[in-house]
Amino acid sequence: MAVAAVTATTNMGAGVVRDGGLVVFVPNAVEGDVIEYAVARRRASFCDGELVRVISPSRHRAAVDCGAFCDGCGGCAFRHISYEHELDVKRGYISSCLRKHGIDARIDDFLTAGPDAVRSKITVPIGSGVSGYYARGTHRIVPSRRCLLHDELADSIRNAVADARLGGVHHVTVRRASDGVMAILRADAGTDADRIRALARELRADSVYLERGGEYELIAGVPVIYDTLSGCRFRISPESFYQVNHDCAELLYARAVESAALASGERLADLYCGTGTIGIAAARRASVSLVGVEIVPSAVADARLNARENGVVADFICGDAAAYDGAADCVILDPPRAGCGEALISHLLHMLPDRIVYVSCEPATMARDAARLAPAYRVESVAPVDMFPRTGKVETVVQLSKGEIQSKKIRVDFSLEDMDMS
């Protein structure tokens, strides 16, 4: 056992202390705490710690409002700290990622719908009559009947599926839209659908699907539901990528459209466009030529229907974003967590659009890609978006514009958030 002051909070909600020159990450500790802790595991460059007791609580500490969090649930990272400190930690993580790649950029105020903005999409594991998120770092389900990340309807659906003890069903996804609720029961390939059909009649969902081995079977209800976002109406099918926090997505889309600064007659390329939502929202506000590129065929089909539904003339192409060989005045990027491939970065440096709007769900890869674009583009602004309140995830909307070609000295700053904690 040891006693120490906690000097920082990581982006995954652990406190940081020093032990004989080594960094120790202590879950559920907060910057400003004085704690008693034990070293649970020594690694090459840091240690995993275990909180024994809080001797003197930090001013950033908050009363935990969820019993599952106390039991080690990995759904949230920040239930034990104030929301203000959570946003400070996330801002620090974004800043650290940018500094690592030599980027000195203004980080704007957080776009947030508040700490209690529930998710419009959830996916939780099911097993042995219980549902809940996995314990941190494991595949052990921490049971819960009520989750503060969800609305009550989503909880009622996933609890009903768990209570039914349907053999083979291992996850349930619930999508909540302004016009409809969709439940997707994810099961092993050989799972019998008959009992699921019987249960579907009891679920308060407009659409119930069974997904086995990547194939979706409509069990009950309508094939798609619809949501209204940024003044547009979008269809949501079982495979659709769609933002998980509706209220915060409104803020993100507004910022992305503002950053695009489109003028009538310009050409807009929406790469990694998914079902076309951001590009369509932008095109609705300016008379522009819109091209979207997405590699998932079903998403492209939805994008074409979404454009027609919203009166937008657009060309949606099924293919790799890096293969787009057209021209554009503005490019919107919304890549997966891995960021943009090198081929796409090279292509952007060749086509040289006037403006790039980069929507990112991972600050580390966003900063890496912004540095790759630095020979021709400067970061004008970074807007942090709290799409996943109380968790360690954070999104950004980054505005880049063409600047003079310049060489930059890449500085690698020590960052607690960059250390491999796996």
Side-chain angles (χ1 to χ4, degrees), residues 4-232:
V6 180
T7 59
T9 310
T10 74
N11 63 304
M12 294 308 295
V16 181
V17 301
R18 304 280 175 170
D19 187 305
L22 284 177
V23 174
V24 183
F25 296 99
V26 184
N28 299 334
V30 186
E31 177 185 341
D33 278 346
V34 177
I35 62 170
E36 184 178 7
Y37 69 96
V39 173
R41 181 179 178 185
R42 292 187 178 272
R43 302 177 187 252
S45 58
F46 66 94
C47 299
D48 297 321
E50 180 180 316
L51 180 63
V52 177
R53 65 187 177 101
V54 177
I55 297 171
S56 176
S58 164
R59 63 185 177 88
H60 301 306
R61 181 170 284 279
V64 176
D65 54 2
C66 175
F69 181 83
C70 297
D71 293 336
C73 174
C76 292
F78 295 115
R79 285 283 163 201
H80 60 306
I81 76 170
S82 69
Y83 189 56
E84 292 75 17
H85 187 52
E86 175 184 340
L87 297 185
D88 285 343
V89 169
K90 290 178 175 179
R91 176 186 292 274
Y93 177 52
I94 296 168
S95 178
S96 172
C97 291
L98 292 168
R99 289 198 313 271
K100 177 180 178 181
H101 291 280
I103 299 173
D104 183 15
R106 180 181 83 249
I107 300 179
D108 295 341
D109 292 338
F110 252 93
L111 300 176
T112 174
D116 301 320
V118 295
R119 295 182 181 180
S120 47
K121 175 190 174 184
I122 69 162
T123 298
V124 294
I126 302 290
S128 301
V130 299
S131 69
Y133 290 99
Y134 291 125
R136 289 183 284 271
T138 77
H139 281 87
R140 175 180 63 83
I141 297 174
V142 177
S144 67
R145 301 290 294 183
R146 182 76 185 98
C147 176
L148 298 175
L149 299 177
H150 309 166
D151 65 20
E152 292 185 3
L153 177 57
D155 271 344
S156 73
I157 291 173
R158 55 113 175 177
N159 287 331
V161 175
D163 292 343
R165 294 179 176 268
L166 300 168
V169 175
H170 49 77
H171 284 79
V172 62
T173 295
V174 181
R175 293 175 177 267
R176 182 80 180 265
S178 54
D179 185 10
V181 177
M182 177 180 291
I184 305 171
L185 281 63
R186 304 185 183 276
D188 298 330
T191 301
D192 186 358
D194 289 341
R195 289 189 63 197
I196 294 173
R197 287 192 180 91
L199 174 65
R201 292 191 290 269
E202 302 175 17
L203 300 180
R204 294 158 56 196
D206 302 283
S207 175
V208 179
Y209 275 89
L210 173 62
E211 184 267 316
R212 293 174 290 188
E215 298 293 326
Y216 291 85
E217 178 184 353
L218 180 63
I219 298 297
V222 296
V224 298
I225 58 175
Y226 289 87
D227 193 44
T228 300
L229 183 63
S230 195
C232 300

